[in-house]
Amino acid sequence: MPIDRREAADPARSMALLWRTKEPKSRKGGPDLSVDRIVRTAIGIADAEGVGGLTMRQVSQALGVGTMSMYTYVPGKAELLDLMTDTVYGEVELPPDVPGGWRARLELVARANRALYRRHPWLLQVETGRPVLGPNLLAKYDYELRAIADIGLTDVEMDAALSLVLDVAKSAERAAADMRELERETGMTDGQWWQAYGPWLQKFAESDRYPVASRVGTAASEAHGRAYDPDYAFEFSLQRVLDGLAVVVDQRAGPGSRPL
């Protein structure tokens, strides 16, 4: 279900919550609430049921408190989504030492982000081109940029290179999530679908009329056992992006330089 973004987060309130510069304390005798508890509960609901239908009332019911009590801590759904997003960003592992140079470091970044989307598929719906400027996002962004610092790229190119790698992870996991959702809706796996429709395609897709499509489609379906394999697409795309960056890095380094 698409996310309704007509309600925009208030910048001052959102930043204060993200950075925890001001948080109400639970009143004596009142419900044991905190921003962290509310956010973790909302994340659990979104992981289990998706984020499209997530409401403040739903979260308050899961907490066993009145909705108005929760508004004291989190003023609205827009701010809650910001908090949820930055919180799960904090799950990404940031190991200080990664052997294998910049390429291995970027591979780790891509795989860690894909794993994050796998754990929290709703993040694919929530993320936009306007980043949530919380502490976990900034720590993650800083770490990921350091993977390609001092390899010859300009600051703007570093940002673009990182975006390419992150887009590969997001695209692959979005395709995988779509396939999982389709399986739930139809009760049929992609492999089962291909077994049912493959013979019909072979009947109509005449090799002499569509020679390249017939040859390539047959090879791909035999290799993957289905029409599309997001894992293969992820690995192939990631290596090609890294190959392209390697060309730029080598050009900047010049002849006789050591790879970074």
Side-chain angles (χ1 to χ4, degrees):
M1 182 184 297
I3 305 301
D4 187 349
R5 297 195 175 277
R6 287 174 295 182
E7 178 192 352
D10 178 87
R13 293 190 299 181
S14 186
M15 293 298 284
L17 284 167
L18 285 166
W19 291 87
R20 301 298 196 275
T21 60
K22 185 178 181 181
E23 180 177 355
K25 294 182 180 179
S26 293
R27 286 174 288 183
K28 189 174 182 180
D32 182 19
L33 280 181
S34 68
V35 172
D36 287 341
R37 188 177 173 215
I38 291 169
V39 171
R40 285 296 177 189
T41 300
I43 289 172
I45 294 172
D47 287 346
E49 304 176 21
V51 76
L54 182 70
T55 65
M56 299 293 279
R57 178 183 293 275
Q58 187 180 19
V59 178
S60 67
Q61 288 175 343
L63 287 165
V65 302
T67 306
M68 296 310 296
S69 297
M70 200 173 70
Y71 279 118
T72 303
Y73 296 84
V74 180
K77 183 176 177 180
E79 289 81 8
L80 179 60
L81 290 174
D82 282 354
L83 289 163
M84 292 166 60
T85 301
D86 193 67
T87 297
V88 297
Y89 283 153
E91 297 177 7
V92 178
E93 294 185 14
L94 311 176
D97 299 310
V98 181
W102 68 266
R103 186 162 182 144
R105 293 192 294 269
L106 279 184
E107 283 196 24
L108 183 145
V109 166
R111 298 186 199 287
N113 276 273
R114 190 181 179 202
L116 181 66
Y117 292 125
R118 177 62 61 91
R119 291 194 301 274
H120 306 291
W122 54 267
L123 192 58
L124 293 164
Q125 295 176 267
V126 171
E127 282 188 333
T128 69
R130 299 174 182 176
V132 174
L133 301 177
N136 290 324
L137 169 67
L138 293 182
K140 175 177 175 291
Y141 181 56
D142 184 79
Y143 173 84
E144 292 169 344
L145 285 173
R146 282 188 275 122
I148 48 176
D150 304 321
I151 66 172
L153 302 179
T154 67
D155 287 351
V156 174
E157 288 171 339
M158 286 171 59
D159 179 76
L162 176 59
S163 295
L164 275 174
V165 171
L166 297 181
D167 284 345
V168 169
K170 180 183 290 189
S171 176
E173 198 49 42
R174 178 175 283 117
D178 288 345
M179 292 174 68
R180 291 193 296 270
E181 181 62 26
L182 193 59
E183 287 182 8
R184 283 192 292 268
E185 291 177 353
T186 64
M188 180 184 291
T189 68
D190 202 51
Q192 291 170 333
W193 179 89
W194 188 248
Q195 287 179 354
Y197 282 86
W200 288 98
L201 180 62
Q202 291 177 355
K203 179 179 180 179
F204 293 110
E206 304 164 8
S207 59
D208 56 342
R209 187 175 181 184
Y210 310 105
V212 179
S214 178
R215 186 187 77 242
V216 173
T218 299
S221 64
E222 289 177 352
H224 306 317
R226 48 185 171 175
Y228 175 77
D229 186 341
D231 293 330
Y232 179 86
F234 169 74
E235 295 295 341
F236 183 86
S237 300
L238 176 60
Q239 296 308 319
R240 300 299 75 77
V241 166
L242 297 181
D243 288 345
L245 287 175
V247 173
V248 177
V249 171
D250 291 344
Q251 290 174 343
R252 300 288 171 84
S257 299
R258 288 184 178 183
L260 298 173

